[in-house]
Amino acid sequence: MRTLPHPAMEAVRLDTVLAALADPLRRRIVRQLSEGGEAQACGAFDLPVTKSTSTHHFRVLREAGVIAQYYRGNKILSQMRADDLEARFPGLLQAILAAEQVTVAGP
Amino acid sequence: MRTLPHPAMEAVRLDTVLAALADPLRRRIVRQLSEGGEAQACGAFDLPVTKSTSTHHFRVLREAGVIAQYYRGNKILSQMRADDLEARFPGLLQAILAAEQVTVAGP
DNA sequence: GTCGTACTACGAAGTACATCGTACAACTCT
DNA sequence: AGAGTTGTACGATGTACTTCGTAGTACGAC
């Protein structure tokens, strides 16, 4: 079974997490994962970029420690590392997701 | 009196704020401003870069809507736009500052 | 006015990032 | 085994960012 490398919780750096979440496309992925609750395959995301680019963004999120990915058949399932993030940076993820909510809800 | 352009609170975008705060040097500035409370001149910051670079980072923070800057004599005083940020993205700034606190406090 | 201070503006150089296309690998299904 | 699906790897390209040096502007002090 193939596996993908994930940073340990202690190795997750604020720099990397913030940089990862500064991209709108990556926040879109994170949002969908957070709202879905369940692990989802990359194909479940309707992103306005090619597969290559999509792979790149998922990789950035995984290497930043924001999401976890594991093989399941010929798909890769992704899910939030919500607990790890909350333990390391309490309230951060929630604040960012909530902030975007505000941004979207314009008059 | 010279003035510097600041984005209106409604024009402040999460993308820009997160990108601005993803840089460690800029977070260092923000941290010092937040802890100091009072407005401080750029020279009050002991940053490991040249003045040009320093100017650049202050500018990024100002254009992102994170700090306010105004002339005072031949200095420029900077201060956090804490209230504006809190109104637009509740809890975000505090979560990021707290997160860094955790990072710094290693065993 | 002249000098020093504090900071900006502009251009240059190196680095990092986002995006894509093509080629490839692993898995499922028939 | 062969074909289709899902996603990766690698290289290329254009854009943006960081950093610096130099030159210049505004202000206070003398």
Side-chain angles (χ1 to χ4, degrees):
Chain A
M1 176 71 91
R2 289 173 293 170
T3 56
L4 291 161
H6 294 79
M9 188 183 71
E10 314 85 52
V12 173
R13 286 178 43 216
L14 181 58
D15 284 30
T16 324
V17 171
L18 286 182
L21 294 177
D23 188 288
L25 202 68
R26 290 195 287 258
R27 275 205 310 283
R28 183 163 152 180
I29 294 173
V30 166
R31 168 164 296 280
Q32 181 170 336
L33 278 177
S34 292
E35 290 177 348
E38 292 299 313
Q40 303 177 48
C42 299
F45 295 79
D46 189 23
L47 303 173
V49 290
T50 64
K51 279 193 301 181
S52 305
T53 307
S54 196
T55 295
H56 164 69
H57 286 301
F58 275 96
R59 183 196 189 99
V60 170
L61 286 172
R62 173 169 47 81
E63 292 182 343
V66 177
I67 67 173
Q69 297 186 289
Y70 55 93
Y71 284 92
R72 182 89 164 202
N74 68 340
K75 298 180 181 178
I76 290 187
L77 295 185
S78 302
Q79 60 185 358
M80 291 299 299
R81 291 181 67 178
D83 292 348
D84 284 351
L85 279 178
E86 182 62 23
R88 182 133 179 81
F89 305 129
L92 181 61
L93 181 64
Q94 213 160 2
I96 290 177
L97 289 177
E100 189 133 46
Q101 208 68 323
V102 172
T103 305
V104 171
Chain B
M1 177 72 92
R2 288 172 294 171
T3 55
L4 292 162
H6 296 78
M9 187 182 70
E10 314 85 52
V12 172
R13 287 177 43 216
L14 181 58
D15 284 29
T16 324
V17 171
L18 287 182
L21 295 176
D23 187 288
L25 201 68
R26 290 195 288 258
R27 275 206 310 284
R28 184 161 151 181
I29 294 174
V30 165
R31 168 164 297 280
Q32 182 170 335
L33 279 178
S34 293
E35 291 176 348
E38 291 299 314
Q40 304 177 47
C42 299
F45 296 79
D46 190 22
L47 304 174
V49 290
T50 64
K51 279 194 298 181
S52 304
T53 307
S54 197
T55 296
H56 163 71
H57 286 301
F58 275 96
R59 184 196 189 101
V60 169
L61 286 173
R62 174 169 48 81
E63 292 182 342
V66 176
I67 68 173
Q69 297 186 290
Y70 54 94
Y71 283 93
R72 182 88 164 204
N74 68 338
K75 298 181 181 177
I76 290 188
L77 295 186
S78 303
Q79 60 185 359
M80 292 299 298
R81 292 181 66 179
D83 292 348
D84 284 350
L85 278 178
E86 182 61 23
R88 182 134 179 80
F89 305 129
L92 180 61
L93 181 64
Q94 214 159 1
I96 290 177
L97 288 177
E100 188 133 47
Q101 207 68 322
V102 172
T103 305
V104 171

Coordinates of all heavy atoms in Angstrom, one line a residue, chain A residues 22-75:
Chain A
A22 N -3.4 31.0 2.7 CA -3.5 32.4 2.1 C -4.1 32.2 0.7 O -4.6 33.2 0.1 CB -2.2 33.1 2.1
D23 N -4.0 31.1 0.1 CA -4.5 30.9 -1.2 C -6.0 30.6 -1.2 O -6.4 29.7 -0.5 CB -3.7 29.7 -1.9 CG -4.0 29.6 -3.4 OD1 -5.1 29.1 -3.7 OD2 -3.2 30.0 -4.2
P24 N -6.7 31.3 -2.0 CA -8.2 31.1 -2.1 C -8.6 29.7 -2.5 O -9.5 29.1 -1.9 CB -8.7 32.1 -3.1 CG -7.5 32.9 -3.5 CD -6.3 32.4 -2.9
L25 N -7.9 29.2 -3.5 CA -8.2 27.8 -3.9 C -8.0 26.8 -2.8 O -8.8 25.9 -2.6 CB -7.3 27.5 -5.1 CG -7.9 26.4 -6.0 CD1 -9.1 26.9 -6.7 CD2 -6.8 25.9 -7.0
R26 N -6.9 26.9 -2.1 CA -6.7 26.0 -1.0 C -7.7 26.2 0.1 O -8.1 25.2 0.8 CB -5.2 26.2 -0.5 CG -4.2 25.7 -1.5 CD -2.9 25.5 -0.9 NE -2.2 26.8 -0.6 CZ -1.2 27.3 -1.4 NH1 -0.9 26.7 -2.5 NH2 -0.7 28.4 -1.1
R27 N -8.1 27.4 0.4 CA -9.1 27.6 1.4 C -10.4 27.0 1.0 O -11.2 26.5 1.8 CB -9.3 29.1 1.7 CG -8.3 29.7 2.7 CD -8.9 30.9 3.4 NE -9.4 31.9 2.5 CZ -8.6 32.7 1.8 NH1 -7.3 32.6 1.9 NH2 -9.2 33.5 1.0
R28 N -10.7 27.0 -0.3 CA -11.9 26.4 -0.8 C -11.9 24.9 -0.6 O -12.9 24.3 -0.2 CB -11.9 26.7 -2.3 CG -13.1 26.2 -3.0 CD -13.2 26.9 -4.4 NE -13.9 26.1 -5.4 CZ -14.1 26.6 -6.6 NH1 -13.7 27.8 -7.0 NH2 -14.8 25.8 -7.5
I29 N -10.7 24.3 -0.8 CA -10.6 22.9 -0.5 C -10.8 22.6 1.0 O -11.6 21.7 1.4 CB -9.2 22.4 -0.9 CG1 -9.0 22.5 -2.4 CG2 -8.9 21.0 -0.4 CD1 -7.6 22.1 -2.9
V30 N -10.2 23.4 1.8 CA -10.3 23.3 3.3 C -11.7 23.5 3.7 O -12.2 22.7 4.6 CB -9.4 24.3 4.0 CG1 -9.7 24.4 5.5 CG2 -7.9 23.9 3.8
R31 N -12.4 24.4 3.1 CA -13.8 24.7 3.5 C -14.6 23.5 3.2 O -15.4 23.0 4.0 CB -14.3 25.9 2.7 CG -15.8 26.1 2.8 CD -16.1 27.5 2.3 NE -15.5 28.5 3.3 CZ -16.1 28.8 4.4 NH1 -17.2 28.2 4.8 NH2 -15.5 29.7 5.2
Q32 N -14.5 23.0 2.0 CA -15.3 21.8 1.6 C -15.0 20.6 2.5 O -15.9 19.9 2.9 CB -15.0 21.5 0.1 CG -15.9 20.3 -0.4 CD -15.8 20.1 -1.9 OE1 -15.5 21.1 -2.6 NE2 -16.0 18.9 -2.4
L33 N -13.7 20.4 2.8 CA -13.4 19.3 3.7 C -14.0 19.5 5.1 O -14.5 18.5 5.7 CB -11.9 19.2 3.8 CG -11.2 18.4 2.6 CD1 -9.7 18.4 2.8 CD2 -11.7 17.0 2.5
S34 N -13.9 20.7 5.6 CA -14.4 21.0 6.9 C -15.9 20.8 7.0 O -16.5 20.2 7.9 CB -14.0 22.4 7.3 OG -12.6 22.5 7.5
E35 N -16.6 21.3 5.9 CA -18.1 21.2 6.0 C -18.5 19.8 5.7 O -19.5 19.3 6.2 CB -18.7 22.2 4.9 CG -18.5 23.6 5.3 CD -19.0 24.6 4.2 OE1 -19.3 24.1 3.1 OE2 -19.1 25.8 4.6
G36 N -17.8 19.1 4.8 CA -18.2 17.7 4.5 C -18.0 16.7 5.7 O -18.8 15.8 5.8
G37 N -17.0 17.0 6.5 CA -16.8 16.1 7.6 C -16.1 14.9 7.2 O -15.0 14.6 7.7
E38 N -16.6 14.2 6.2 CA -16.0 12.9 5.8 C -14.8 13.2 4.9 O -14.6 14.3 4.4 CB -17.0 12.1 5.0 CG -18.1 11.6 5.9 CD -17.6 10.6 7.0 OE1 -16.8 9.8 6.7 OE2 -18.0 10.8 8.2
A39 N -13.9 12.1 4.8 CA -12.8 12.2 3.8 C -13.4 12.2 2.4 O -14.3 11.5 2.1 CB -11.9 11.0 4.1
Q40 N -12.8 13.0 1.6 CA -13.2 13.1 0.2 C -12.1 12.9 -0.8 O -11.0 13.3 -0.5 CB -13.9 14.4 -0.1 CG -15.0 14.7 0.9 CD -15.6 16.1 0.7 OE1 -15.9 16.5 -0.4 NE2 -15.8 16.8 1.8
A41 N -12.4 12.3 -2.0 CA -11.4 12.2 -3.0 C -11.1 13.5 -3.7 O -12.0 14.4 -3.7 CB -11.8 11.1 -4.0
C42 N -10.0 13.6 -4.3 CA -9.6 14.9 -5.0 C -10.6 15.2 -6.1 O -11.0 16.3 -6.3 CB -8.2 14.8 -5.6 SG -6.9 14.5 -4.4
G43 N -11.1 14.1 -6.7 CA -12.1 14.3 -7.8 C -13.4 14.9 -7.3 O -14.2 15.4 -8.2
A44 N -13.7 14.8 -6.0 CA -14.9 15.4 -5.5 C -14.9 16.9 -5.5 O -15.9 17.5 -5.2 CB -15.2 14.8 -4.1
F45 N -13.8 17.5 -5.8 CA -13.7 18.9 -5.8 C -13.7 19.5 -7.2 O -13.0 19.1 -8.0 CB -12.3 19.3 -5.1 CG -12.2 18.9 -3.7 CD1 -11.9 17.6 -3.3 CD2 -12.5 19.9 -2.7 CE1 -11.8 17.3 -2.0 CE2 -12.4 19.5 -1.3 CZ -12.1 18.2 -1.0
D46 N -14.6 20.4 -7.4 CA -14.8 21.0 -8.7 C -14.0 22.3 -8.8 O -14.5 23.4 -8.5 CB -16.3 21.3 -9.0 CG -16.5 21.7 -10.4 OD1 -15.6 21.3 -11.3 OD2 -17.5 22.4 -10.7
L47 N -12.7 22.1 -9.1 CA -11.8 23.2 -9.0 C -11.5 23.7 -10.5 O -11.4 22.9 -11.4 CB -10.5 22.8 -8.3 CG -10.7 22.3 -6.9 CD1 -9.3 21.8 -6.4 CD2 -11.2 23.4 -6.0
P48 N -11.4 25.0 -10.6 CA -11.1 25.6 -11.9 C -9.7 25.6 -12.4 O -9.2 26.5 -12.9 CB -11.6 27.1 -11.7 CG -11.3 27.4 -10.3 CD -11.5 26.1 -9.6
V49 N -9.0 24.5 -12.1 CA -7.6 24.3 -12.6 C -7.5 22.9 -13.1 O -8.3 22.0 -12.9 CB -6.7 24.6 -11.4 CG1 -6.6 26.0 -11.0 CG2 -7.0 23.7 -10.2
T50 N -6.3 22.6 -13.7 CA -6.1 21.3 -14.2 C -5.7 20.3 -13.1 O -5.5 20.7 -11.9 CB -4.9 21.3 -15.2 OG1 -3.7 21.7 -14.5 CG2 -5.1 22.3 -16.3
K51 N -5.6 19.1 -13.4 CA -5.3 18.1 -12.4 C -4.0 18.3 -11.8 O -3.8 18.2 -10.6 CB -5.4 16.7 -13.0 CG -6.8 16.1 -13.1 CD -6.7 14.6 -13.5 CE -6.0 14.3 -14.7 NZ -5.9 12.9 -15.0
S52 N -3.0 18.7 -12.6 CA -1.7 19.0 -12.1 C -1.7 20.0 -11.0 O -1.1 19.8 -10.0 CB -0.8 19.5 -13.3 OG -0.8 18.6 -14.3
T53 N -2.4 21.1 -11.3 CA -2.4 22.2 -10.3 C -3.1 21.7 -9.1 O -2.7 22.1 -8.0 CB -3.1 23.4 -11.0 OG1 -2.5 23.7 -12.2 CG2 -3.1 24.6 -10.1
S54 N -4.2 21.0 -9.3 CA -4.9 20.4 -8.2 C -4.0 19.6 -7.3 O -4.0 19.8 -6.0 CB -6.1 19.6 -8.7 OG -7.0 19.4 -7.7
T55 N -3.3 18.7 -7.9 CA -2.4 17.9 -7.1 C -1.4 18.8 -6.3 O -1.1 18.5 -5.1 CB -1.5 17.0 -8.1 OG1 -2.4 16.1 -8.7 CG2 -0.5 16.3 -7.3
H56 N -0.9 19.8 -7.0 CA 0.0 20.7 -6.3 C -0.6 21.3 -5.0 O 0.1 21.3 -4.0 CB 0.4 21.8 -7.3 CG 1.1 23.0 -6.6 ND1 2.3 23.0 -6.1 CD2 0.6 24.3 -6.4 CE1 2.6 24.1 -5.5 NE2 1.6 24.9 -5.7
H57 N -1.8 21.8 -5.1 CA -2.4 22.4 -4.0 C -2.7 21.4 -2.8 O -2.5 21.8 -1.7 CB -3.7 23.1 -4.4 CG -3.5 24.4 -5.2 ND1 -2.7 25.5 -4.7 CD2 -3.8 24.8 -6.4 CE1 -2.7 26.4 -5.6 NE2 -3.3 26.0 -6.7
F58 N -3.2 20.3 -3.2 CA -3.4 19.3 -2.1 C -2.1 18.9 -1.5 O -2.0 18.8 -0.2 CB -4.0 18.0 -2.7 CG -5.5 18.1 -2.8 CD1 -6.1 18.4 -4.0 CD2 -6.3 17.8 -1.8 CE1 -7.5 18.5 -4.1 CE2 -7.7 17.8 -1.8 CZ -8.3 18.2 -3.0
R59 N -1.0 18.9 -2.3 CA 0.3 18.6 -1.7 C 0.7 19.7 -0.7 O 1.3 19.4 0.4 CB 1.3 18.4 -2.8 CG 2.7 18.1 -2.4 CD 3.7 18.4 -3.5 NE 5.0 17.8 -3.2 CZ 5.5 16.7 -3.7 NH1 4.7 15.9 -4.5 NH2 6.7 16.3 -3.4
V60 N 0.5 20.9 -1.1 CA 0.9 22.0 -0.2 C 0.2 21.9 1.1 O 0.7 22.1 2.2 CB 0.6 23.4 -0.9 CG1 0.8 24.5 0.1 CG2 1.5 23.6 -2.1
L61 N -1.1 21.6 1.0 CA -1.9 21.5 2.2 C -1.5 20.4 3.1 O -1.4 20.5 4.3 CB -3.4 21.3 1.9 CG -4.1 22.6 1.4 CD1 -5.5 22.3 0.9 CD2 -4.2 23.6 2.5
R62 N -1.1 19.3 2.5 CA -0.7 18.1 3.2 C 0.7 18.4 3.9 O 0.9 18.1 5.1 CB -0.6 16.9 2.3 CG 0.0 15.7 3.0 CD -0.1 14.4 2.2 NE 0.2 14.6 0.8 CZ 1.5 14.6 0.3 NH1 2.5 14.4 1.2 NH2 1.7 14.7 -1.0
E63 N 1.6 18.9 3.1 CA 2.9 19.2 3.7 C 2.9 20.3 4.7 O 3.8 20.4 5.6 CB 3.9 19.6 2.5 CG 4.2 18.4 1.6 CD 5.2 18.7 0.5 OE1 5.4 19.9 0.3 OE2 5.7 17.8 -0.1
A64 N 1.9 21.1 4.7 CA 1.8 22.2 5.7 C 1.2 21.6 7.0 O 1.3 22.2 8.1 CB 0.9 23.3 5.2
G65 N 0.6 20.4 6.9 CA 0.0 19.7 8.0 C -1.5 20.1 8.2 O -2.0 19.8 9.2
V66 N -2.1 20.6 7.2 CA -3.5 21.0 7.3 C -4.4 19.8 7.0 O -5.4 19.7 7.7 CB -3.8 22.2 6.3 CG1 -5.3 22.5 6.4 CG2 -2.9 23.4 6.7
I67 N -4.0 19.0 6.0 CA -4.9 17.9 5.7 C -4.1 16.6 5.8 O -2.8 16.6 5.7 CB -5.5 18.0 4.3 CG1 -4.4 17.9 3.2 CG2 -6.3 19.3 4.2 CD1 -5.0 17.9 1.8
A68 N -4.8 15.5 5.9 CA -4.2 14.2 5.8 C -4.7 13.5 4.5 O -5.9 13.6 4.1 CB -4.5 13.3 7.0
Q69 N -3.8 12.7 3.9 CA -4.2 12.0 2.7 C -3.8 10.5 2.7 O -2.7 10.2 3.2 CB -3.6 12.6 1.4 CG -4.0 14.1 1.2 CD -3.5 14.6 -0.1 OE1 -2.3 14.8 -0.3 NE2 -4.4 14.8 -1.1
Y70 N -4.7 9.6 2.3 CA -4.3 8.2 2.3 C -4.9 7.6 1.1 O -6.0 7.9 0.7 CB -4.6 7.5 3.6 CG -6.1 7.6 4.0 CD1 -7.0 6.7 3.6 CD2 -6.5 8.7 4.7 CE1 -8.3 6.8 4.0 CE2 -7.8 8.8 5.1 CZ -8.7 7.9 4.8 OH -10.0 8.0 5.1
Y71 N -4.3 6.6 0.6 CA -4.8 5.8 -0.6 C -5.9 4.9 -0.2 O -5.9 4.3 0.9 CB -3.6 5.0 -1.2 CG -2.7 5.8 -2.0 CD1 -1.5 6.4 -1.4 CD2 -2.9 6.1 -3.4 CE1 -0.6 7.1 -2.2 CE2 -2.0 6.9 -4.1 CZ -0.9 7.4 -3.5 OH 0.0 8.1 -4.2
R72 N -6.9 4.8 -1.1 CA -8.0 4.0 -0.9 C -8.4 3.5 -2.3 O -9.1 4.3 -3.0 CB -9.2 4.8 -0.3 CG -10.4 4.0 0.0 CD -10.3 3.4 1.4 NE -11.6 2.9 1.9 CZ -11.8 2.7 3.2 NH1 -10.9 3.0 4.1 NH2 -13.0 2.2 3.5
G73 N -8.0 2.3 -2.6 CA -8.2 1.9 -4.0 C -7.3 2.7 -4.9 O -6.2 3.0 -4.6
N74 N -7.9 3.2 -6.0 CA -7.1 4.0 -6.9 C -7.4 5.5 -6.6 O -7.0 6.3 -7.4 CB -7.3 3.6 -8.4 CG -8.7 4.0 -8.8 OD1 -9.6 4.2 -8.0 ND2 -9.0 4.1 -10.1
K75 N -8.0 5.8 -5.5 CA -8.3 7.2 -5.2 C -7.4 7.6 -4.0 O -6.8 6.7 -3.3 CB -9.7 7.4 -4.9 CG -10.7 7.1 -6.0 CD -12.1 7.3 -5.6 CE -13.0 6.9 -6.8 NZ -14.4 7.1 -6.4

